[in-house]
Amino acid sequence: MLYTQLKKWMALVFVLAASSVYATPITITDVLGREVTFDAPAQRVIVGFYPEDYMAIGTEDAFDHVVGMSKYIWQARTRNWQMYLEHRPSLDDIPGIGRVDTQTFSVEKTISLNPDVLMLADWQFKGLGNDIKRLEDAGIAIVVVDYNAQTLERHIKSTKLIGEITGQKERAAKIAREYENNLNSIEKRLKEANLPKPTVYSEYGAAGVDEIGYTFGKNMWGAISTMAGGDNISAPYIEWWGKLNPEQILASDPDVIVMTGYESSSSDTGMVMGQGVDEALAKQRLEGFKNRTGWSTLTAVKNNRMYGAYHGAVRSITDGAMIQFYAKAMYPEEFKDLDPEAAYLDFYKKYLPVMPEGTFMVQLK
C-alpha cells in the first residue's frame, strides 16, 4: 500500500511540474489596449461571452479548463446549446456567473471560482464599471475581446487573443487568416465590379410582424451589410442597435431586406432560423413580413428580395459566411459562385466537434 501511495504522489508531482513548465507568464495587449499578464495556456478560465468561438479557436480541450461561464447567450440558441450538451454533457455542470446586461453578474461567484483569466466582451467590461477593480484586486487577469464591433481588426485581434489564452496560437492565426482572406476577396470583387450600392435593411425579427424589431447601425448586421457592399439604411439613425421608425423604413425603400432570428421567437409570426428549423417554416415566417403595414410598396418586397439569416451566426468568427451571404443577396450575379451556407457548415466541420442541421440562410423566390 505504501508503494502504491508513493507512486500516486510521484505521478501528481510530475503532473504539477509538467503543467508549471508548460504554462509560462506572458503579457498580451487586449482589444482595449490594456496590457494583461497571466500564465498561458490558462488553467482556470471564465468565459464571459463568445463560448462557441472559444471552443473553435481553443479546441474542445480548452473547455477542460473553463471553470465558469455566462451561459445565457449560448442557451438563447436553444437547439444549438442542446446539440453541444448531447456531445459534451459536462457543459451543463460549468457554473454560471450571471449577466452583465441584466445586472445579475456575480462578482462574488466569479472570485470564488478562482480563475486565472476572465475573458469578457468589450461591452461587458464597460458595463461592469467599478466591479472591474474588485476582480483585478482579487488577482484575476481580465482579457477583453470583441466580435460585436464586427470590424476586421477586432475580429482578428480577438481570435489571436483567444489563441494566447488557450495555447492555440497557430490555430488562431490560421482561422484569422482565413477570415481576412474571405473579406479581402469580397472587397476585391466589389471594387472590380464597381456597381451602385444597393440599399439594405436588417432586422432581428423575433417580435413578429406586428412589432418592429431591433436593427443595427455600425455593428453586427449593420457592419456585415456594409462590408458586403451595401448601403445600410439604418446607419444614419442608429449608432449600434435600436428600432427604426416604421415611416423611415418606408421612406428609405430598401432594395434588400434581411430578417434574422433564433430557433424560437416571442411571437407566432416571429422569424425563426437555425438548428432544427425547417426551411419551409423559415420561408413561411419570412413571407409573413410582407403583410406589415405599408411594406407591400417596398422595392425589396415587390421584387422578392427578402432573406432570412441565423442571428446566432453574427458577432462571431463564424460570421465570414454571413458576409458572403449578404454579398450574394445584394449582388447575385457577381457572387453566384458562392455557397454561403456550405461555407458556414464547413467552419464547423473544420473547427468544431458538432455539425448543426437546420436552416441558417433562406431567400424568398
Side-chain angles (χ1 to χ4, degrees), residues 35 73 251:
E35 286 195 351
I73 192 60

Side-chain angles (χ1 to χ4, degrees), residues 3-18:
Y3 176 71
T4 301
Q5 290 177 333
L6 181 62
K7 281 182 66 179
K8 288 181 178 179
W9 180 81
M10 290 179 67
L12 178 61
V13 169
F14 176 79
V15 169
L16 292 173

Side-chain angles (χ1 to χ4, degrees), residues 49-53 56 72-81 83-84 147-148 150 155 203-206 216 220-221 224 258-264 271-275 277 308-322 325-326 344 347-348 352 356 359-361:
F49 214 63
Y50 314 121
E52 199 174 20
D53 298 276
Y72 78 96
I73 192 60
W74 207 346
Q75 292 173 336
R77 303 163 62 191
T78 49
R79 294 177 187 170
N80 180 280
W81 170 247
M83 173 180 64
Y84 276 97
Y147 290 109
N148 283 57
Q150 207 65 58
H155 263 52
E203 179 184 326
Y204 175 51
F216 307 89
M220 295 179 61
W221 297 112
I224 281 183
V258 180
M259 304 299 300
T260 72
Y262 284 122
E263 287 86 351
S264 60
M271 194 64 205
V272 288
M273 296 288 296
Q275 174 77 6
V277 174
Y310 182 39
H311 200 71
V314 72
R315 62 185 173 201
S316 165
I317 197 60
T318 66
D319 62 34
M322 288 299 174
F325 168 71
Y326 267 81
Y344 179 69
F347 186 92
Y348 276 84
L352 286 159
T359 306
F360 306 97
M361 307 165 200

Side-chain angles (χ1 to χ4, degrees), residues 206 255 351:
D255 298 310
Y351 297 115

Side-chain angles (χ1 to χ4, degrees), residues 46 67 129 132 191 201 226 254 291 321:
I46 292 180
V67 298
I132 292 296
K191 186 176 181 180
Y201 172 68
T226 300
N291 298 321

Side-chain angles (χ1 to χ4, degrees), residues 45-64 66-77 80-81 84-85 88 91-92 94-95 97-98 119-121 123-124 145-148 158 162 165-166 171 175 262 310 312 314-318 347-348 351-354:
V45 180
I46 292 180
V47 177
F49 214 63
Y50 314 121
E52 199 174 20
D53 298 276
Y54 194 83
M55 185 178 289
I57 297 159
T59 77
E60 185 180 358
D61 289 345
F63 269 76
D64 293 342
V66 173
V67 298
M69 185 166 55
S70 190
K71 294 184 178 181
Y72 78 96
I73 192 60
W74 207 346
Q75 292 173 336
R77 303 163 62 191
N80 180 280
W81 170 247
Y84 276 97
L85 278 187
R88 188 184 175 98
L91 288 173
D92 213 24
I94 298 175
I97 58 169
M119 188 184 84
L120 294 174
W123 67 268
Q124 289 178 311
V145 296
D146 183 17
Y147 290 109
N148 283 57
S158 298
I162 293 174
I165 295 169
T166 60
R171 182 182 176 95
I175 293 173
Y262 284 122
Y310 182 39
V314 72
R315 62 185 173 201
S316 165
I317 197 60
T318 66
F347 186 92
Y348 276 84
Y351 297 115
L352 286 159
V354 294

Side-chain angles (χ1 to χ4, degrees), residues 135-347:
L135 293 164
E136 289 179 328
D137 286 347
I140 301 171
I142 300 175
V143 178
V144 181
V145 296
D146 183 17
Y147 290 109
N148 283 57
Q150 207 65 58
T151 65
L152 176 60
E153 179 187 4
R154 286 211 167 183
H155 263 52
I156 298 302
K157 180 73 171 176
S158 298
T159 300
K160 291 182 177 180
L161 286 168
I162 293 174
E164 293 279 8
I165 295 169
T166 60
Q168 291 288 341
K169 291 191 290 185
E170 290 185 10
R171 182 182 176 95
K174 182 175 184 289
I175 293 173
R177 186 166 58 250
E178 289 172 353
Y179 189 92
E180 185 171 14
N181 289 344
N182 175 56
L183 181 55
N184 287 343
S185 173
I186 290 171
E187 288 181 339
K188 182 174 182 290
R189 291 169 71 166
L190 287 170
K191 186 176 181 180
E192 289 172 351
N194 194 29
L195 294 170
K197 290 184 177 182
T199 52
V200 56
Y201 172 68
S202 305
E203 179 184 326
Y204 175 51
V209 172
D210 296 328
E211 181 181 341
I212 297 295
Y214 291 107
T215 187
F216 307 89
K218 60 185 181 184
N219 71 344
M220 295 179 61
W221 297 112
I224 281 183
S225 63
T226 300
M227 287 189 285
D231 179 5
N232 175 21
I233 69 166
S234 303
Y237 312 101
I238 305 291
E239 183 176 12
W240 298 110
W241 54 272
K243 296 186 178 184
L244 201 59
N245 188 304
E247 294 299 324
Q248 186 57 56
I249 300 172
L250 298 179
S252 298
D253 190 21
D255 298 310
V256 173
I257 292 174
V258 180
M259 304 299 300
T260 72
Y262 284 122
E263 287 86 351
S264 60
S265 67
S266 56
S267 164
D268 290 340
T269 62
M271 194 64 205
V272 288
M273 296 288 296
Q275 174 77 6
V277 174
D278 184 73
E279 183 178 349
L281 175 60
K283 285 186 174 181
Q284 178 189 334
R285 295 291 179 91
L286 182 58
E287 184 89 30
F289 286 94
K290 288 183 174 183
N291 298 321
R292 272 185 170 168
T293 302
W295 274 38
S296 62
T297 66
L298 295 178
T299 298
V301 174
K302 289 189 289 187
N303 293 337
N304 255 357
R305 297 188 71 183
M306 297 183 67
Y307 299 81
Y310 182 39
H311 200 71
V314 72
R315 62 185 173 201
S316 165
I317 197 60
T318 66
D319 62 34
M322 288 299 174
I323 302 174
Q324 291 188 17
F325 168 71
Y326 267 81
K328 188 170 184 175
M330 294 185 290
Y331 302 91
E333 287 302 311
E334 285 67 30
F335 293 98
K336 60 185 177 183
D337 60 309
L338 295 185
D339 188 342
E341 187 151 355
Y344 179 69
L345 295 175
D346 187 56
F347 186 92

